[in-house]
Amino acid sequence: MSESGSKLTELSSLGEFGLIEYLTKNIPIVNKSTVKGIGDDAAVLKPTPGSQVLVSKDLLIEGVHFDLMYMPLKHLGYKAAVVNFSDIAAMNGIPKQIVVGISVSSKYTVEALDEIYAGIKKACAVYKVDFVGGDTTSSVSGLFISVTVIGEVKKDKITYRSGAGVNDLICVSGDLGAAYMGLLILEREKKAFQANPDLKPDLSDHDYILQRQLKPEARTDIVTLFSDEKIVPTSMIDISDGLASETLHICKASDKGCLIYEEKIPIDQDTYETAKEFGIVPTVAALNGGEDYELLFTIKQSDYDKIKDSQDVTVIGYITEKTEGEKLVTTDNHLFDLKAQGWDALKKRDLNKLTSNKKKS
Ligand code: ADP
Ligand code: MG
């Protein structure tokens, strides 16, 4: 938290209007489609001619979706915005505006909210999104952040989950499983700290996976790549609940089957080694770990040449007839049904392991 300075300001000292004014001063508008931002009863938007409007919302609740013991407030604000941008990217769209609802208890200070807003504003600056409104209320306990994002996409580029065709290539951006390994590292250090508050957290050598957990990015750059290469994916989804679950969503919505090759699943070296250290099969982390916010999409085989040189895209399998089912070919050449273990269940299991495992010295 930002509470390094000695003087903290109680929320009540500003009052609701004072607080809103304080948090929202100097918010810039960069998009043509924003006619009026914060300051009236509603924002006014004017979608780009020829575009359709995308709307999505995510609600984050303290203790359920984030843990302030290791989540810096600025990162929380950043992540709350970015996970919404990711949903727009998953429709092949570009995020343009957000509105933010925030509900806080009196244990929070003006400085704490300022940090959260710094994160939200930073995300808006990085992704060129206008912050155009919100609402502020008090809560009985804890913090709730709800972000609604508005995006745009040309009608002929909208990408649903439902468009995958037989023999289309299944692709993912970036690498998978890292955010989950970052979470396990943070949970391990939290437990160690709770057992012995004198222990310094040992987060060394894990910059990448920690960043993947604490400060995820939305792959709007892949949407730009599609646009540059004149590709319209046949289906797409963002990976928030693990590769297995999202692949099954695409198969179900498209009424198709799939074949995924375990050996093709992109996994970063640090993710791989950390998984091994925790006694987790790295591909299990990639298949079932959440919050990577990469894109999973299918393209026609004829588009393969356009993506084959991209460092950011990996082909991991292809779409089959529904009757073939959803299958995973393991590295040792066995065929399994692709199952979504559900990342909540996985988390519970692995977190239990953390308590029983001795922390390595
Ligand atoms: P109302 O009473 O009509 O809901 P508010 O006083 O809540 O109006 O809001 C005034 C202006 O401040 C509006 O433009 C609203 O979108 C904006 N606003 C309120 N709360 C927030 C917030 N937490 N973040 C950003 N903008 C906010
Ligand atoms: Mg209001």
Side-chain angles (χ1 to χ4, degrees):
M1 305 223 320
S2 68
E3 270 101 300
S4 47
S6 50
K7 269 199 77 202
L8 295 173
T9 322
E10 279 187 36
L11 289 177
S12 55
S13 68
L14 283 183
E16 185 190 328
F17 297 132
L19 179 66
I20 294 172
E21 211 176 298
Y22 175 76
L23 292 175
T24 61
K25 62 174 183 272
N26 300 328
I27 287 188
I29 298 291
V30 299
N31 287 310
K32 277 202 201 115
S33 55
T34 309
V35 179
K36 166 81 185 166
I38 290 168
D40 214 307
D41 292 305
V44 181
L45 309 180
K46 182 171 167 258
T48 314
S51 285
Q52 296 202 332
V53 178
L54 304 166
V55 182
S56 184
K57 177 192 209 60
D58 265 313
L59 176 59
L60 298 178
I61 297 174
E62 180 178 351
V64 179
H65 303 104
F66 57 89
D67 186 334
L68 290 175
M69 226 178 127
Y70 50 68
M71 186 64 153
L73 289 166
K74 190 171 173 186
H75 287 61
L76 177 63
Y78 192 88
K79 185 168 177 174
V82 159
V83 299
N84 278 279
F85 303 163
S86 178
D87 282 319
I88 298 297
M91 301 300 291
N92 205 20
I94 296 291
K96 295 288 183 183
Q97 290 92 11
I98 54 165
V99 291
V100 175
I102 194 149
S103 186
V104 277
S105 65
S106 54
K107 77 172 185 196
Y108 286 86
T109 60
V110 172
E111 288 74 13
L113 286 193
D114 209 18
E115 279 289 295
I116 295 173
Y117 269 65
I120 298 173
K121 290 174 194 172
K122 170 86 191 188
C124 286
V126 169
Y127 289 86
K128 300 191 175 62
V129 169
D130 293 331
F131 187 176
V132 299
D135 199 28
T136 316
T137 72
S138 56
S139 86
V140 179
S141 80
L143 169 66
F144 300 71
I145 305 179
S146 164
V147 177
T148 300
V149 63
I150 294 130
E152 290 181 6
V153 57
K154 290 261 185 293
K155 194 176 170 193
D156 54 354
K157 290 188 172 175
I158 299 177
T159 306
Y160 296 102
R161 297 176 179 183
S162 55
V166 171
N167 292 331
D168 285 356
L169 301 173
I170 302 172
C171 310
V172 288
S173 64
D175 59 73
L176 300 176
Y180 182 52
M181 285 307 115
L183 177 73
L184 289 188
I185 292 281
L186 290 164
E187 286 286 342
R188 180 185 72 187
E189 295 311 312
K190 174 180 157 181
K191 292 216 160 80
F193 177 80
Q194 283 169 332
N196 178 2
D198 292 332
L199 268 186
K200 279 242 160 50
D202 174 13
L203 303 174
S204 49
D205 301 330
H206 291 303
D207 291 358
Y208 179 67
I209 60 175
L210 290 171
Q211 185 197 321
R212 295 282 283 167
Q213 169 59 223
L214 295 175
K215 191 171 172 286
E217 302 291 350
R219 298 310 303 258
T220 50
D221 59 323
I222 300 291
V223 174
T224 306
L225 172 82
F226 292 149
S227 172
D228 291 347
E229 297 293 337
K230 306 206 171 10
I231 298 172
V232 179
T234 51
S235 70
M236 185 150 60
I237 188 167
D238 68 329
I239 306 182
S240 53
D241 293 325
L243 176 64
S245 164
E246 314 302 0
T247 306
L248 293 176
H249 280 309
I250 284 197
C251 288
K252 184 160 187 232
S254 300
D255 208 27
K256 297 286 182 295
C258 70
L259 195 65
I260 301 271
Y261 294 91
E262 181 186 15
E263 63 177 3
K264 304 276 188 203
I265 298 173
I267 296 176
D268 156 83
Q269 190 64 24
D270 187 18
T271 306
Y272 187 90
E273 281 160 15
T274 309
K276 288 281 186 191
E277 190 186 317
F278 281 118
I280 297 168
V281 178
T283 35
V284 170
L287 284 164
N288 300 295
E291 301 195 294
D292 285 315
Y293 299 105
E294 294 295 340
L295 293 173
L296 170 70
F297 55 95
T298 55
I299 57 169
K300 293 210 158 49
Q301 295 219 1
S302 53
D303 282 333
Y304 173 69
D305 280 346
K306 301 179 186 170
I307 53 108
K308 72 174 196 302
D309 294 330
S310 167
Q311 296 291 311
D312 274 333
V313 174
T314 311
V315 178
I316 58 166
Y318 61 92
I319 295 290
T320 59
E321 297 285 358
K322 184 187 171 75
T323 50
E324 312 258 309
E326 297 92 11
K327 303 289 181 187
L328 177 76
V329 185
T330 59
T331 308
D332 54 3
N333 240 336
H334 289 86
L335 195 62
F336 284 99
D337 283 333
L338 185 66
K339 287 232 166 62
Q341 207 174 338
W343 102 271
D344 277 335
L346 184 78
K347 209 160 50 174
K348 229 171 250 161
R349 191 200 68 188
D350 290 337
L351 292 184
N352 277 336
K353 274 202 304 204
L354 285 187
T355 19
S356 50
N357 274 0
K358 267 218 168 122
K359 187 181 176 291
K360 70 162 189 158
S361 52

